[in-house]
Amino acid sequence: MARAVETPRSEDKLTRQREAVLQVIRAREDHPTANEIFQAARLNLPTISYATVYNSLRFLKEAGLVHEIKFGDGASRYDRETDRHDHAICNECGKLVDFDLPQTAELMQAAARKSKFKAASVHLTLKGVCPDCRAT
Amino acid sequence: MARAVETPRSEDKLTRQREAVLQVIRAREDHPTANEIFQAARLNLPTISYATVYNSLRFLKEAGLVHEIKFGDGASRYDRETDRHDHAICNECGKLVDFDLPQTAELMQAAARKSKFKAASVHLTLKGVCPDCRAT
DNA sequence: AATAAATTTAGACTAATTCTAAACTACTAG
DNA sequence: CTAGTAGTTTAGAATTAGTCTAAATTTATT
C-alpha cells in the first residue's frame, strides 16, 4: 500500500541555505542584521550569497520561524520567533532588548477600540536608557 | 536704552526652506515621506533641493516641531508634532493612522519595570485591518 | 563694504535591499 | 535512466533612501 500523501509543512522546504540562516539566528542571543547573518552563515556554507540570505529571511518570516524588527536607524534585525514580545531601545548605546508586557490582550482591545482597526497584533516600543548606561 | 538681548528661540532660525517644509507637513492630514515633502515644497519654492529637505527635517525634528515615524517598509514618514500618540497600520492597504491610548503613564511604568530601562517614551504599534478595508 | 558664519544647492556617494537572468538541484513522468 | 519543469541559488546590476561634500548664496557682524 502506498504511503499516504503528507501535507507539506514549512520545514519541508528548508533547504541547506535556509537552514543555515535559521541556525545563525537561533544560535544568537542578540538581534543580528542581514549582513551579520550573511557573514556568520558563510562560515558554515561558504558559497551562500547575499541575495539568498534575504530570500531565506523572507521565507523564514513567512513560515513564522523568524521575526523581523525594523526601527530607527539602519538595517532590519532578526529574531528567532518566540512568543509575542516588546522591545526596549537604549537612546545612549543603541542596545535592543526584549521584554514582555503581560496584559497585552487588554491593550490590544483598547488599541482596537481607539483606532477602529481590527487588531491583529500590538507591539510596544520603549525608548530610554539601559541598565548598563545608567550605571556609567 | 538698548533693547535687551533676546534668547533665541527655535523659530528664529526658520529659514524660508525650513518654513516651506514645515508648512507642507502641517498642511497634510497624512504622513508624507521626505520625497513627498520635497515634491510638495517645490510647488512653493521651486529651487529647494532634496538635501535641504533632509536638512530641514533634521532641524525641525531637533526643534521639536515635527516628528519622524519609521516603521515597516520603505521611507520614514513625518508628522506634525502634536501630543504623544500611537500608530495603527493596515495590513491590507498600508494606511497609517494615529490614535492615542490614554493610560500611557502606567504602560510606561510597567514597561520600565519589565525591561529594567529608564523609560523616556513608549509607543504602541497596532497592526490589523482598517475600517475601509473591513468594509470591502 | 569686507569678513565671517550659516545655509542651500547639485550632484556624488553609501548602505540596505531587491531584481534579474543564468546556473543548479530536485522532483516527475515516461 | 532521461527529458522536462518547477523551484532555488548565485553574482552582480539596479533601486531606494538618505548622507556627504564642496562650491555658491545668504545672512549677520564689524
Side-chain angles (χ1 to χ4, degrees):
Chain A
M1 198 234 245
R3 175 136 42 103
V5 175
E6 289 172 31
T7 344
R9 286 169 312 126
S10 59
E11 282 85 7
D12 291 344
K13 294 215 187 135
L14 269 190
T15 61
R16 226 148 21 94
Q17 13 288 67
R18 288 169 184 175
E19 190 88 44
V21 167
L22 184 56
Q23 291 323 314
V24 170
I25 295 170
R26 288 194 167 151
R28 296 178 66 136
E29 277 305 308
D30 61 345
H31 304 82
T33 61
N35 184 55
E36 289 164 346
I37 294 166
F38 172 60
Q39 303 303 337
R42 273 217 290 203
L43 302 177
N44 296 339
L45 196 52
T47 65
I48 197 171
S49 79
Y50 214 86
T52 299
V53 170
Y54 274 101
N55 290 341
S56 301
L57 288 170
R58 177 151 28 80
F59 174 87
L60 294 168
K61 261 190 294 178
E62 283 167 7
L65 296 169
V66 307
H67 182 232
E68 182 177 13
I69 316 166
K70 308 192 179 198
F71 294 104
D73 303 305
S76 279
R77 301 176 164 277
Y78 296 86
D79 228 0
R80 52 181 164 313
E81 183 69 29
T82 54
D83 301 327
R84 198 214 72 82
H85 61 262
D86 304 295
H87 289 111
I89 307 159
C90 179
N91 284 335
E92 294 189 6
C93 69
K95 186 160 53 221
L96 171 56
V97 165
D98 295 348
F99 68 98
D100 184 44
L101 222 53
Q103 67 274 45
T104 32
E106 296 97 89
L107 255 187
M108 199 152 118
Q109 276 191 17
R113 201 171 333 111
K114 280 285 179 182
S115 66
K116 314 257 198 301
F117 275 47
K118 175 156 176 282
S121 67
V122 277
H123 177 257
L124 198 99
T125 305
L126 177 149
K127 297 199 175 169
V129 187
C130 75
D132 293 353
C133 289
R134 296 176 71 181
T136 22
Chain B
M1 195 230 246
R3 178 141 36 109
V5 174
E6 290 171 31
T7 342
R9 287 169 312 124
S10 58
E11 282 85 9
D12 291 346
K13 292 212 187 137
L14 269 188
T15 61
R16 226 146 23 94
Q17 14 287 75
R18 289 169 184 173
E19 190 87 45
V21 167
L22 184 57
Q23 290 323 315
V24 169
I25 296 171
R26 288 192 167 154
R28 295 177 66 135
E29 277 307 308
D30 62 344
H31 304 81
T33 62
N35 184 55
E36 290 164 345
I37 294 166
F38 172 58
Q39 303 303 337
R42 274 216 290 200
L43 301 178
N44 295 338
L45 197 53
T47 65
I48 198 171
S49 78
Y50 213 87
T52 299
V53 170
Y54 274 101
N55 291 341
S56 301
L57 288 170
R58 177 152 26 81
F59 174 88
L60 294 168
K61 260 191 294 179
E62 283 166 9
L65 297 169
V66 307
H67 181 232
E68 182 178 12
I69 316 167
K70 308 192 180 200
F71 295 105
D73 303 306
S76 279
R77 299 175 165 278
Y78 297 85
D79 230 359
R80 53 180 162 308
E81 183 70 30
T82 54
D83 302 326
R84 197 213 75 80
H85 62 263
D86 304 295
H87 288 112
I89 306 159
C90 179
N91 286 334
E92 295 189 7
C93 68
K95 187 162 48 224
L96 171 56
V97 165
D98 295 347
F99 69 97
D100 183 44
L101 222 53
Q103 67 274 45
T104 32
E106 297 96 90
L107 254 186
M108 198 152 120
Q109 276 192 18
R113 201 171 332 109
K114 281 283 177 181
S115 66
K116 313 254 199 301
F117 275 46
K118 175 156 176 284
S121 67
V122 278
H123 177 255
L124 197 99
T125 305
L126 176 149
K127 296 197 176 169
V129 187
C130 75
D132 292 352
C133 289
R134 295 176 73 182
T136 20

mmCIF file of all heavy atoms in Angstrom, chain B residues 85-112:
data_model
loop_
_atom_site.group_PDB
_atom_site.id
_atom_site.type_symbol
_atom_site.label_atom_id
_atom_site.label_comp_id
_atom_site.label_asym_id
_atom_site.label_seq_id
_atom_site.Cartn_x
_atom_site.Cartn_y
_atom_site.Cartn_z
ATOM 1 N N HIS B 85 1.412 59.997 20.663
ATOM 2 C CA HIS B 85 0.324 59.170 20.162
ATOM 3 C C HIS B 85 0.865 57.877 19.587
ATOM 4 O O HIS B 85 2.067 57.699 19.445
ATOM 5 C CB HIS B 85 -0.501 59.935 19.131
ATOM 6 C CG HIS B 85 0.265 60.345 17.929
ATOM 7 N ND1 HIS B 85 0.799 61.586 17.797
ATOM 8 C CD2 HIS B 85 0.607 59.673 16.823
ATOM 9 C CE1 HIS B 85 1.424 61.671 16.639
ATOM 10 N NE2 HIS B 85 1.332 60.523 16.030
ATOM 11 N N ASP B 86 -0.049 56.992 19.246
ATOM 12 C CA ASP B 86 0.311 55.669 18.768
ATOM 13 C C ASP B 86 -0.095 55.540 17.308
ATOM 14 O O ASP B 86 -0.749 56.429 16.770
ATOM 15 C CB ASP B 86 -0.400 54.638 19.645
ATOM 16 C CG ASP B 86 -0.048 54.858 21.112
ATOM 17 O OD1 ASP B 86 1.124 54.684 21.451
ATOM 18 O OD2 ASP B 86 -0.942 55.258 21.888
ATOM 19 N N HIS B 87 0.308 54.444 16.708
ATOM 20 C CA HIS B 87 0.018 54.275 15.289
ATOM 21 C C HIS B 87 -0.587 52.914 14.991
ATOM 22 O O HIS B 87 -0.168 51.909 15.559
ATOM 23 C CB HIS B 87 1.296 54.450 14.471
ATOM 24 C CG HIS B 87 1.769 55.863 14.407
ATOM 25 N ND1 HIS B 87 2.922 56.293 15.010
ATOM 26 C CD2 HIS B 87 1.218 56.956 13.838
ATOM 27 C CE1 HIS B 87 3.065 57.594 14.811
ATOM 28 N NE2 HIS B 87 2.036 58.025 14.106
ATOM 29 N N ALA B 88 -1.552 52.947 14.081
ATOM 30 C CA ALA B 88 -2.145 51.709 13.594
ATOM 31 C C ALA B 88 -1.828 51.605 12.108
ATOM 32 O O ALA B 88 -1.940 52.591 11.378
ATOM 33 C CB ALA B 88 -3.658 51.737 13.800
ATOM 34 N N ILE B 89 -1.406 50.434 11.688
ATOM 35 C CA ILE B 89 -1.056 50.227 10.284
ATOM 36 C C ILE B 89 -1.949 49.129 9.718
ATOM 37 O O ILE B 89 -2.086 48.072 10.318
ATOM 38 C CB ILE B 89 0.393 49.743 10.150
ATOM 39 C CG1 ILE B 89 1.333 50.697 10.853
ATOM 40 C CG2 ILE B 89 0.784 49.614 8.686
ATOM 41 C CD1 ILE B 89 2.642 50.053 11.189
ATOM 42 N N CYS B 90 -2.509 49.416 8.560
ATOM 43 C CA CYS B 90 -3.388 48.432 7.931
ATOM 44 C C CYS B 90 -2.562 47.421 7.151
ATOM 45 O O CYS B 90 -1.778 47.787 6.279
ATOM 46 C CB CYS B 90 -4.383 49.120 7.007
ATOM 47 S SG CYS B 90 -5.474 47.928 6.204
ATOM 48 N N ASN B 91 -2.755 46.166 7.471
ATOM 49 C CA ASN B 91 -2.029 45.098 6.780
ATOM 50 C C ASN B 91 -2.464 44.949 5.332
ATOM 51 O O ASN B 91 -1.760 44.344 4.549
ATOM 52 C CB ASN B 91 -2.268 43.752 7.486
ATOM 53 C CG ASN B 91 -1.496 43.663 8.785
ATOM 54 O OD1 ASN B 91 -0.466 44.309 8.946
ATOM 55 N ND2 ASN B 91 -1.995 42.861 9.713
ATOM 56 N N GLU B 92 -3.631 45.480 4.997
ATOM 57 C CA GLU B 92 -4.103 45.302 3.627
ATOM 58 C C GLU B 92 -3.742 46.469 2.722
ATOM 59 O O GLU B 92 -3.177 46.267 1.665
ATOM 60 C CB GLU B 92 -5.608 45.026 3.610
ATOM 61 C CG GLU B 92 -5.860 43.684 4.294
ATOM 62 C CD GLU B 92 -7.273 43.168 4.177
ATOM 63 O OE1 GLU B 92 -8.085 43.763 3.446
ATOM 64 O OE2 GLU B 92 -7.570 42.150 4.840
ATOM 65 N N CYS B 93 -4.040 47.695 3.148
ATOM 66 C CA CYS B 93 -3.788 48.821 2.250
ATOM 67 C C CYS B 93 -2.592 49.650 2.684
ATOM 68 O O CYS B 93 -2.203 50.596 1.997
ATOM 69 C CB CYS B 93 -5.019 49.702 2.131
ATOM 70 S SG CYS B 93 -5.416 50.596 3.649
ATOM 71 N N GLY B 94 -2.003 49.343 3.823
ATOM 72 C CA GLY B 94 -0.814 50.076 4.249
ATOM 73 C C GLY B 94 -1.102 51.409 4.917
ATOM 74 O O GLY B 94 -0.161 52.126 5.287
ATOM 75 N N LYS B 95 -2.361 51.758 5.067
ATOM 76 C CA LYS B 95 -2.685 53.058 5.657
ATOM 77 C C LYS B 95 -2.157 53.165 7.083
ATOM 78 O O LYS B 95 -2.119 52.193 7.829
ATOM 79 C CB LYS B 95 -4.194 53.280 5.639
ATOM 80 C CG LYS B 95 -4.570 54.687 6.085
ATOM 81 C CD LYS B 95 -5.986 55.090 5.684
ATOM 82 C CE LYS B 95 -7.036 54.058 6.008
ATOM 83 N NZ LYS B 95 -7.988 53.843 4.940
ATOM 84 N N LEU B 96 -1.718 54.354 7.427
ATOM 85 C CA LEU B 96 -1.154 54.620 8.742
ATOM 86 C C LEU B 96 -2.030 55.646 9.436
ATOM 87 O O LEU B 96 -2.261 56.724 8.907
ATOM 88 C CB LEU B 96 0.260 55.171 8.535
ATOM 89 C CG LEU B 96 1.008 55.727 9.721
ATOM 90 C CD1 LEU B 96 1.097 54.703 10.826
ATOM 91 C CD2 LEU B 96 2.406 56.119 9.283
ATOM 92 N N VAL B 97 -2.518 55.304 10.606
ATOM 93 C CA VAL B 97 -3.482 56.151 11.299
ATOM 94 C C VAL B 97 -2.997 56.416 12.716
ATOM 95 O O VAL B 97 -2.415 55.543 13.352
ATOM 96 C CB VAL B 97 -4.866 55.449 11.311
ATOM 97 C CG1 VAL B 97 -5.804 56.086 12.313
ATOM 98 C CG2 VAL B 97 -5.474 55.474 9.924
ATOM 99 N N ASP B 98 -3.226 57.619 13.209
ATOM 100 C CA ASP B 98 -2.876 57.959 14.585
ATOM 101 C C ASP B 98 -4.007 57.612 15.531
ATOM 102 O O ASP B 98 -5.172 57.762 15.176
ATOM 103 C CB ASP B 98 -2.687 59.476 14.729
ATOM 104 C CG ASP B 98 -1.524 59.981 13.923
ATOM 105 O OD1 ASP B 98 -0.724 59.168 13.451
ATOM 106 O OD2 ASP B 98 -1.425 61.221 13.777
ATOM 107 N N PHE B 99 -3.633 57.223 16.717
ATOM 108 C CA PHE B 99 -4.642 57.166 17.773
ATOM 109 C C PHE B 99 -3.909 57.360 19.083
ATOM 110 O O PHE B 99 -2.679 57.357 19.120
ATOM 111 C CB PHE B 99 -5.424 55.855 17.737
ATOM 112 C CG PHE B 99 -4.628 54.640 18.112
ATOM 113 C CD1 PHE B 99 -4.658 54.130 19.398
ATOM 114 C CD2 PHE B 99 -3.839 54.005 17.171
ATOM 115 C CE1 PHE B 99 -3.924 52.999 19.742
ATOM 116 C CE2 PHE B 99 -3.095 52.877 17.503
ATOM 117 C CZ PHE B 99 -3.138 52.373 18.789
ATOM 118 N N ASP B 100 -4.651 57.534 20.135
ATOM 119 C CA ASP B 100 -3.969 57.742 21.402
ATOM 120 C C ASP B 100 -4.569 56.856 22.466
ATOM 121 O O ASP B 100 -5.775 56.836 22.661
ATOM 122 C CB ASP B 100 -4.057 59.197 21.841
ATOM 123 C CG ASP B 100 -3.269 59.412 23.128
ATOM 124 O OD1 ASP B 100 -2.149 58.888 23.214
ATOM 125 O OD2 ASP B 100 -3.787 60.079 24.034
ATOM 126 N N LEU B 101 -3.692 56.173 23.135
ATOM 127 C CA LEU B 101 -4.096 55.331 24.240
ATOM 128 C C LEU B 101 -3.926 56.146 25.506
ATOM 129 O O LEU B 101 -2.850 56.678 25.757
ATOM 130 C CB LEU B 101 -3.194 54.106 24.263
ATOM 131 C CG LEU B 101 -3.869 52.788 24.533
ATOM 132 C CD1 LEU B 101 -5.032 52.564 23.577
ATOM 133 C CD2 LEU B 101 -2.867 51.676 24.389
ATOM 134 N N PRO B 102 -4.973 56.275 26.311
ATOM 135 C CA PRO B 102 -4.864 57.212 27.429
ATOM 136 C C PRO B 102 -3.930 56.744 28.547
ATOM 137 O O PRO B 102 -3.179 57.540 29.088
ATOM 138 C CB PRO B 102 -6.306 57.333 27.927
ATOM 139 C CG PRO B 102 -7.053 56.191 27.334
ATOM 140 C CD PRO B 102 -6.289 55.657 26.191
ATOM 141 N N GLN B 103 -3.953 55.458 28.848
ATOM 142 C CA GLN B 103 -3.247 55.018 30.053
ATOM 143 C C GLN B 103 -1.741 54.809 29.852
ATOM 144 O O GLN B 103 -1.177 53.851 30.321
ATOM 145 C CB GLN B 103 -3.890 53.748 30.606
ATOM 146 C CG GLN B 103 -3.754 52.503 29.735
ATOM 147 C CD GLN B 103 -4.835 52.394 28.692
ATOM 148 O OE1 GLN B 103 -5.164 53.365 28.014
ATOM 149 N NE2 GLN B 103 -5.393 51.219 28.526
ATOM 150 N N THR B 104 -1.094 55.757 29.165
ATOM 151 C CA THR B 104 0.303 55.508 28.835
ATOM 152 C C THR B 104 1.263 55.690 29.996
ATOM 153 O O THR B 104 2.354 55.135 29.978
ATOM 154 C CB THR B 104 0.759 56.378 27.664
ATOM 155 O OG1 THR B 104 0.056 57.593 27.727
ATOM 156 C CG2 THR B 104 0.504 55.674 26.369
ATOM 157 N N ALA B 105 0.876 56.477 30.982
ATOM 158 C CA ALA B 105 1.767 56.629 32.126
ATOM 159 C C ALA B 105 1.992 55.279 32.802
ATOM 160 O O ALA B 105 3.127 54.875 33.051
ATOM 161 C CB ALA B 105 1.189 57.633 33.111
ATOM 162 N N GLU B 106 0.889 54.563 33.009
ATOM 163 C CA GLU B 106 1.018 53.242 33.640
ATOM 164 C C GLU B 106 1.773 52.279 32.738
ATOM 165 O O GLU B 106 2.618 51.518 33.201
ATOM 166 C CB GLU B 106 -0.360 52.623 33.921
ATOM 167 C CG GLU B 106 -1.225 53.393 34.897
ATOM 168 C CD GLU B 106 -2.197 54.312 34.172
ATOM 169 O OE1 GLU B 106 -3.319 53.870 33.858
ATOM 170 O OE2 GLU B 106 -1.832 55.489 33.887
ATOM 171 N N LEU B 107 1.455 52.343 31.449
ATOM 172 C CA LEU B 107 2.138 51.485 30.488
ATOM 173 C C LEU B 107 3.638 51.686 30.551
ATOM 174 O O LEU B 107 4.420 50.742 30.532
ATOM 175 C CB LEU B 107 1.714 51.878 29.084
ATOM 176 C CG LEU B 107 0.770 50.966 28.365
ATOM 177 C CD1 LEU B 107 0.598 51.446 26.936
ATOM 178 C CD2 LEU B 107 1.299 49.547 28.380
ATOM 179 N N MET B 108 4.022 52.953 30.610
ATOM 180 C CA MET B 108 5.433 53.284 30.613
ATOM 181 C C MET B 108 6.099 52.733 31.859
ATOM 182 O O MET B 108 7.187 52.174 31.796
ATOM 183 C CB MET B 108 5.573 54.795 30.553
ATOM 184 C CG MET B 108 6.916 55.248 30.128
ATOM 185 S SD MET B 108 6.766 56.853 29.326
ATOM 186 C CE MET B 108 7.804 57.823 30.382
ATOM 187 N N GLN B 109 5.407 52.857 32.970
ATOM 188 C CA GLN B 109 5.940 52.292 34.210
ATOM 189 C C GLN B 109 6.100 50.792 34.119
ATOM 190 O O GLN B 109 7.138 50.240 34.490
ATOM 191 C CB GLN B 109 4.981 52.580 35.373
ATOM 192 C CG GLN B 109 5.177 53.932 35.984
ATOM 193 C CD GLN B 109 4.396 54.033 37.301
ATOM 194 O OE1 GLN B 109 4.003 53.024 37.900
ATOM 195 N NE2 GLN B 109 4.172 55.260 37.748
ATOM 196 N N ALA B 110 5.039 50.150 33.619
ATOM 197 C CA ALA B 110 5.075 48.689 33.530
ATOM 198 C C ALA B 110 6.215 48.248 32.610
ATOM 199 O O ALA B 110 6.966 47.316 32.923
ATOM 200 C CB ALA B 110 3.739 48.174 33.012
ATOM 201 N N ALA B 111 6.345 48.943 31.501
ATOM 202 C CA ALA B 111 7.386 48.582 30.540
ATOM 203 C C ALA B 111 8.773 48.813 31.130
ATOM 204 O O ALA B 111 9.698 48.023 30.929
ATOM 205 C CB ALA B 111 7.213 49.377 29.250
ATOM 206 N N ALA B 112 8.906 49.897 31.883
ATOM 207 C CA ALA B 112 10.200 50.195 32.502
ATOM 208 C C ALA B 112 10.556 49.108 33.514
ATOM 209 O O ALA B 112 11.697 48.645 33.577
ATOM 210 C CB ALA B 112 10.147 51.558 33.186
#
